[in-house]
Amino acid sequence: MMRNALFSAGLLLVFAAAQPAFADGDAAAGEKVFARCKACHTIEAGGPNRVGPNLHGIVGAPAGEGRNDYKFSKGMHEAGEKGLTWTEDNLRKWLANPREFVKGTKMIFPGIKSDKDMDNIIAYLKANS
């Protein structure tokens, strides 16, 4: 019985170690990555919307609502109604391929391919939430 419990605990540790871990990233480096986003987004508290919404406080926020009366696409609004919130995992999926993650989004962006850049920009978004 004890051997089975130890074996099970060992398996759990192996599987837990195999899960992808999200690095904390470097917010200062993420600010540099965010430069790609500045043509369409602001991030400072109370900042204006541009072509895209202001992103201050986006981490943990529901999708498709708020953002100082920004007019979201139908696809983004529907995703929010279905419960999409901007968790770290969802931000990763979104930033990797916005048009695939939320069908019907207005956002025209090819995505971030570098894991390091992704870690850093998410750290920057967290620092501004």
Side-chain angles (χ1 to χ4, degrees), residues 52-112:
N54 173 279
L55 299 177
H56 183 81
I58 197 72
V59 179
E65 64 180 62
R67 308 284 122 203
N68 199 22
D69 295 325
Y70 180 78
K71 304 251 187 267
F72 287 97
S73 66
K74 182 179 178 182
M76 184 61 74
H77 184 71
E78 288 174 354
E81 286 180 338
K82 292 178 184 174
L84 177 65
T85 59
W86 294 119
T87 62
E88 184 175 335
D89 185 50
N90 285 335
L91 282 168
R92 284 180 177 284
K93 293 172 187 171
W94 168 258
L95 290 169
N97 191 341
R99 292 186 170 269
E100 181 64 30
F101 187 63
V102 175
K103 303 292 185 194
T105 183
K106 295 189 289 187
M107 187 161 154
I108 300 172
F109 179 71
I112 295 174

Side-chain angles (χ1 to χ4, degrees), residues 4 6 11 16 30-31 48 59 66 73 92 94 107 110-111 122 124 128:
N4 286 342
L6 289 174
L11 279 177
E31 184 175 12
V59 179
S73 66
R92 284 180 177 284
W94 168 258
M107 187 161 154
I122 289 174
Y124 181 64
N128 287 280

